[in-house]
Structures are given as C-alpha cells and as structure tokens.
C-alpha cells in the first residue's frame, strides 16, 4: 500500500510539472538615470494606480476567433512605480512615504496587440501614462504616450513582445525624465 501511494504521488508530481503553462511577459523597463541631479533633496512620495480596464499586457489574435490574452509575470503598476521612484531619486529627489508632495503615476494603457495570419504578423504596442504631481496648494497633470508597430513574415515570440513593451515603456519614462515643464513644476513647488 505504501508503494502504491508513493508511486501515485510521483506520477501526480511529474504530471503537474509537465502540464503546459500559459505564456507570460516579463515587464522590467529600465528607468532613465540622471548623471546630473536637477533637485537638491526635495522630498516627495511616489504613488501609482492601474486604471486599465483589463489587466493583461498582450493579446494575440490567431484568427478564427482564437484570441489569447497574456498576463505579466509581475504587477505592472508596481514595476512602473519602482522605476519612476529610481528615476526621480537619480534626479536628486528624496523619495519617501511621509512627504506632503506626491507624484502619482496612472497606468492608462500598456498593451501589445498581435494579429497573426498564415504567413505574417502585425504587432502594435501602445503605452499611455498620466502623471499627477501635487501638494496642498498646486497640481500638475500631464499624459505621456507612445505607439510602436512592426510587421514580419513569421510568428511573434513572447520575447519579442517583451522587448516591444519594455522599449516603449522606457521611451515614455525617458520623456518623463526630460520633461522641462514637469521638472520646473517639481523644483518650484516641492
């Protein structure tokens, strides 16, 4: 009886290991790190919200009503909040939790859409982020967005989708880092 239980446990364990897993994308954009600080220790708190209607980061349409949504391996909102915090810290801001000054990152869109046909693919990547910087007396709101498209003769791998989304997220983070209006507002009001 013990041998039977042992064999059953091994078979169940091996079958769980060999079960097919749904693909996921690793989202890890690199922030724009500043070599020259623009702020001298001004404090702020970084917050974020995910305002997307669906939580997947990619959707693959293979035709014939076969649409597959793909999730991220980690929470996109948290990944972007951490990247923005590192970016602002490199610019000389003191990022903490008890500041009256807040910078909130709202994720409005972050999606890779892939359409496959028999011999080709079309990939469209969209990112839209809203930044809200505020304290008790003033507020700054601005949207940053990006779009990238690519076509090819073969199917698209999850790695290619990851590169497309991470590259676009990095471009949007770079736009935020280099935004003179935002930097002026933060320096004058925080």
């Amino acid at each position: 009886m013990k041998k039977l239980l042992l064999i059953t446990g091994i078979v169940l364990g091996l079958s769980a290991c060999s079960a097919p897993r749904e693909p996921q994308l690793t989202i890890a954009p690199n922030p724009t790190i500043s070599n020259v600080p623009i702020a001298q220790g001004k404090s702020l708190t970084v917050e974020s919200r995910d305002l997307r209607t669906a939580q997947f980061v990619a959707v693959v349409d293979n035709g014939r009503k076969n649409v597959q949504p793909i999730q991220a391996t980690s929470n996109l909102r948290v990944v972007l909040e951490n990247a923005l915090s590192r970016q602002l810290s490199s610019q000389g801001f003191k990022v903490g939790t008890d500041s009256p000054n807040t910078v909130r990152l709202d994720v409005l869109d972050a999606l890779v859409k892939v359409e496959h046909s028999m011999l080709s693919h079309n990939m469209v990547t969209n990112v839209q982020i809203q930044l809200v910087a505020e304290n008790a007396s003033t507020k700054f709101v601005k949207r940053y967005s990006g779009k990238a498209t690519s076509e090819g003769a073969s199917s698209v791998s999850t790695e290619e989708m990851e590169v497309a989304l991470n590259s676009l997220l990095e471009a949007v983070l770079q736009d935020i880092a280099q935004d003179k209006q935002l930097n002026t507002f933060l320096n004058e009001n925080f």
Side-chain angles (χ1 to χ4, degrees):
M1 188 63 154
K2 289 182 181 178
K3 288 183 182 178
L4 181 60
L5 288 174
L6 180 62
I7 291 172
T8 303
I10 291 172
V11 169
L12 289 174
L14 289 174
S15 66
C17 291
S18 65
R21 294 176 28 171
E22 292 293 321
Q24 292 185 322
L25 299 186
T26 301
I27 307 303
N30 292 314
T32 300
I33 302 300
S34 175
N35 295 330
V36 180
I38 59 168
Q40 302 304 321
K42 294 177 183 253
S43 71
L44 56 86
T45 300
V46 176
E47 301 172 349
S48 61
R49 299 185 307 184
D50 193 341
L51 302 177
R52 298 175 297 152
T53 55
Q55 297 305 304
F56 47 84
V57 292
V59 62
V60 179
D61 184 353
N62 291 321
R64 298 187 193 103
K65 298 182 182 178
N66 183 12
V67 178
Q68 177 187 20
I70 300 175
Q71 303 288 335
T73 56
S74 54
N75 187 314
L76 175 67
R77 177 192 64 77
V78 173
V79 167
L80 289 174
E81 181 179 318
N82 290 338
L84 181 63
S85 294
R86 288 188 5 231
Q87 185 167 299
L88 290 168
S89 291
S90 78
Q91 291 176 317
F93 292 99
K94 183 180 173 190
V95 179
T97 57
D98 57 353
S99 174
N101 305 312
T102 61
V103 175
R104 189 183 73 231
L105 180 146
D106 295 334
V107 182
L108 305 177
D109 191 16
L111 184 65
V112 179
K113 290 182 185 177
V114 179
E115 291 183 11
H116 283 286
S117 67
M118 291 292 281
L119 301 172
S120 65
H121 76 269
N122 182 26
M123 182 167 57
V124 178
T125 308
N126 285 302
V127 169
Q128 188 173 35
I129 291 173
Q130 178 173 274
L131 217 61
V132 180
E134 65 184 323
N135 57 27
S137 60
T138 188
K139 185 177 193 175
F140 175 90
V141 180
K142 190 167 182 180
R143 288 189 179 185
Y144 303 87
S145 60
K147 181 177 183 176
T149 60
S150 69
E151 296 179 2
S154 60
S155 63
V156 175
S157 68
T158 55
E159 290 80 17
E160 289 170 304
M161 288 185 268
E162 286 174 352
V163 167
L165 187 53
N166 282 318
S167 296
L168 199 54
L169 288 168
E170 288 173 3
V172 170
L173 286 169
Q174 184 174 20
D175 287 347
I176 293 170
Q178 296 173 349
D179 186 338
K180 288 185 177 17
Q181 275 185 309
L182 173 65
N183 291 331
T184 300
F185 176 86
L186 295 177
N187 271 312
E188 290 178 356
N189 297 287
F190 282 13

